Amino acid sequence: MRILISVDMEGIAGVTGREEIMRGHHDYERFRHLMTAEANAAIAGAFDGGADSVVVNDSHGGMRNLLYEELDPRAELISGHNKVLTMVEGGQDTQGALFIGYHARAGTGGAVMDHTISGAQVHNWFLNGTPVSEAEINAALLGHYGVPVLLVSGDDKIAREVNERLPGVATAIVKHGMDHRAARALPRSVVLQRLHDASQEAVSTIARAPIHRVPGPVTFRLEFTRSFYAEVASLMPSVVRLDGRTIEVTGQDIVEAWRWASSALRLGSTGDN
Ligand SMILES: [Zn+2]
């Protein structure tokens, strides 16, 4: 059994501010160790739960955060950017996935660094008309390949959203969000043990895991933070501009829709120049 572990950074215990998750900032190097430690707890749990191979996908920012030399040597590591499935690349040939260090969707109150894909550019990200978190988008992408998400870890707010939107997916809370830049982290020993145990349990009960399939055609709607992002994204013929800040794309299936949406975001982002 092969397991994908997608690791983001905003939902790692102890993380509360941008300086901790952005390259070049003073605190960033410290928090890379914490991120890698949480990945390792999940890797160990996955193997103890019955996995015989694990691939970890670095899923935050430029996707070069995890410390390879500190990663459990049994795991493979995908790092770097421009992956079609971005945060869940490498999951296509696995049997299940764990999402570690995830965060609530844009607009969630009391959540640590809530955003969806790009906080600076996207105010709200909708899938078939419903606002979604990255966890939900990624679950749908993996569902296209018949791969179930087994576990999502992060603060209590992403756990609540997963419980609401992805029933049957386990959650592991490592901190309680207080506001956008504050949280109460659980003791580190509790966090690492909980991630290990939850990963082990999730992998060992994989036969019961639901697959989150979103049948096509699929529509993504992006409400940008600025009108000029929508304006530039609309240069692409497949993009429909709904209003000053909002665009929509449709794909025959979730992967095609995702490729259009992420391309529109990339193109729109050049509107800053
Ligand atoms: Zn992130």
Side-chain angles (χ1 to χ4, degrees), residues 8-10 60:
D8 201 355
M9 204 165 187
E10 288 86 347
H60 172 72

Side-chain angles (χ1 to χ4, degrees), residues 35-197:
M35 181 190 188
T36 307
E38 289 200 16
N40 281 339
I43 295 166
F47 278 110
D48 290 345
D52 50 32
S53 92
V54 169
V55 57
V56 176
N57 184 356
D58 194 323
S59 298
H60 172 72
M63 302 187 166
R64 294 187 181 89
N65 311 282
L66 289 164
L67 298 164
Y68 177 60
E69 63 275 30
E70 286 184 17
L71 202 66
D72 187 317
R74 295 172 292 178
E76 297 173 68
L77 174 63
I78 297 173
S79 52
H81 214 332
N82 285 333
K83 304 172 282 198
V84 171
L85 296 188
T86 54
M87 299 174 78
V88 288
E89 186 65 49
Q92 299 95 320
D93 64 346
T94 63
Q95 280 70 59
L98 311 175
F99 295 169
I100 302 299
Y102 272 48
H103 53 81
R105 70 173 175 252
T108 305
V112 182
M113 285 187 278
D114 58 294
H115 69 280
T116 306
I117 311 293
S118 168
Q121 274 108 19
V122 181
H123 191 57
N124 267 309
W125 191 298
F126 299 85
L127 193 169
N128 289 341
T130 302
V132 281
S133 64
E134 294 169 15
E136 190 172 342
I137 295 170
N138 292 337
L141 287 170
L142 289 173
H144 178 77
Y145 298 96
V147 176
V149 178
L150 310 173
L151 171 73
V152 179
S153 80
D155 72 6
D156 55 324
K157 306 306 185 304
I158 181 59
R160 188 181 67 201
E161 289 174 4
V162 168
N163 292 336
E164 287 170 3
R165 301 285 305 168
L166 299 170
V169 176
T171 53
I173 295 171
V174 300
K175 60 184 171 186
H176 292 268
M178 300 172 78
D179 58 39
H180 189 71
R181 300 270 166 80
R184 171 172 54 87
L186 299 182
R188 193 158 143 72
S189 59
V190 172
V191 167
L192 297 177
Q193 189 68 49
R194 179 171 292 185
L195 289 174
H196 170 276
D197 294 351

